[in-house]
Amino acid sequence: MMASFFDQFASPSYLGVPLIAIAITLPWILYPTPSPQWINSRITTIQGWLINRFTNQLMMPLNVKGHKWALLLASLMMFLVTINMLGLLPYTFTPTTQLSLNMGLAVPLWLATVIIGMRNQPTIALGHLLPEGTPIPLIPVLIIIETISLFIRPLALGVRLTANLTAGHLLIQLIATAVFVLMPMMPTVAILTATVLFLLTLLEVAVAMIQAYVFVLLLSLYLQENV
């Protein structure tokens, strides 16, 4: 029974072909594309307004050089939100529960921010490894600690997203299993458990959106340090 709880996180395949590529490609098909007409549909207008609001909020702390990342970060936000939300539907697969995918997104983007900082302002980028006013005996120790914390950033990005979504999916499946088991024996307790399951599902919807936002927000903060 316990092994079946983790089967939902295994990448599905059909005739030996992994279906994770379809799960990653599907979000881009669901969004409507703007029409060449002057007036778009209501859905396209709301979509554009939400993307503009998010982009303005995300790019506000950055200078003009950091605004080049607006398209990339906004697209990444939409991609993660859509995948996380689709993963809450029955009989679906959530690619962001795979640490390999999250690390594949986190490591290159984090490395790009570091390379930009080392290329444009190497003195300031290296200065982050040593806080101002540090006593001389603590300088080697602090440099090692700050260097380790710098390289842990992409790991924290990927693990945070994976752990939150995996824990939520496991908890939903455990409570749903309890509802089916308790229904014939204790209907009242099963109804109360189903109510908890409904509230937990609403919480997971919020977590799916918040974790995508946190992922992109932390990337923008790393970019802010290096531009």
Side-chain angles (χ1 to χ4, degrees), residues 90-171:
Y91 303 102
T92 56
F93 169 67
T94 312
T96 44
T97 56
Q98 304 292 318
L99 184 61
S100 57
L101 174 65
N102 297 332
M103 293 301 295
L105 294 173
V107 172
L109 293 173
W110 163 82
L111 187 60
T113 61
V114 174
I115 292 175
I116 288 176
M118 295 298 294
R119 185 187 65 180
N120 295 338
Q121 44 184 17
T123 303
I124 299 177
L126 293 176
H128 292 151
L129 301 178
L130 184 63
E132 186 177 358
T134 304
I136 295 179
L138 296 179
I139 289 179
V141 178
L142 281 179
I143 291 178
I144 295 175
I145 293 175
E146 291 296 328
T147 303
I148 294 175
S149 66
L150 177 65
F151 284 96
I152 285 179
R153 285 180 174 182
L155 183 63
L157 278 176
V159 171
R160 178 187 293 108
L161 184 58
T162 304
N164 281 281
L165 295 179
T166 303
H169 284 60
L170 277 177
L171 194 55

Side-chain angles (χ1 to χ4, degrees), residues 28-225:
W28 306 116
I29 304 175
L30 298 178
Y31 286 98
T33 56
S35 64
Q37 301 175 358
W38 284 96
I39 301 177
N40 292 317
S41 63
R42 291 184 176 88
I43 297 179
T44 307
T45 303
I46 295 175
Q47 173 185 304
W49 180 80
L50 290 175
I51 294 175
N52 288 334
R53 292 298 301 170
F54 167 74
T55 306
N56 290 335
Q57 185 70 25
L58 195 63
M59 295 292 110
M60 191 179 300
L62 299 176
N63 55 24
V64 179
K65 294 182 179 179
H67 292 176
K68 300 176 182 178
W69 285 59
L71 179 60
L72 175 62
L73 295 180
S75 302
L76 180 62
M77 173 69 180
M78 294 176 58
F79 176 70
L80 293 177
V81 167
T82 310
I83 283 184
N84 295 346
M85 297 292 288
L86 290 177
L88 295 174
L89 297 175
Y91 303 102
T92 56
F93 169 67
T94 312
T96 44
T97 56
Q98 304 292 318
L99 184 61
S100 57
L101 174 65
N102 297 332
M103 293 301 295
L105 294 173
V107 172
L109 293 173
W110 163 82
L111 187 60
T113 61
V114 174
I115 292 175
I116 288 176
M118 295 298 294
R119 185 187 65 180
N120 295 338
Q121 44 184 17
T123 303
I124 299 177
L126 293 176
H128 292 151
L129 301 178
L130 184 63
E132 186 177 358
T134 304
I136 295 179
L138 296 179
I139 289 179
V141 178
L142 281 179
I143 291 178
I144 295 175
I145 293 175
E146 291 296 328
T147 303
I148 294 175
S149 66
L150 177 65
F151 284 96
I152 285 179
R153 285 180 174 182
L155 183 63
L157 278 176
V159 171
R160 178 187 293 108
L161 184 58
T162 304
N164 281 281
L165 295 179
T166 303
H169 284 60
L170 277 177
L171 194 55
I172 287 178
Q173 186 168 359
L174 285 170
I175 297 179
T177 304
V179 172
F180 282 105
V181 172
L182 293 173
M183 185 63 69
M185 298 182 296
M186 294 179 287
T188 305
V189 178
I191 292 175
L192 293 176
T193 308
T195 304
V196 175
L197 178 62
F198 175 73
L199 297 176
L200 180 62
T201 305
L202 295 180
L203 178 63
E204 274 303 302
V205 172
V207 169
M209 294 186 290
I210 291 173
Q211 288 304 317
Y213 176 73
V214 169
F215 189 93
V216 178
L217 179 63
L218 289 177
L219 279 176
S220 69
L221 292 178
Y222 299 157
L223 181 64
Q224 182 180 356
E225 295 179 358

Side-chain angles (χ1 to χ4, degrees), residues 7 15 21 24-25 165 183 221:
D7 288 344
L15 297 178
I24 294 176
T25 309
L165 295 179
M183 185 63 69
L221 292 178

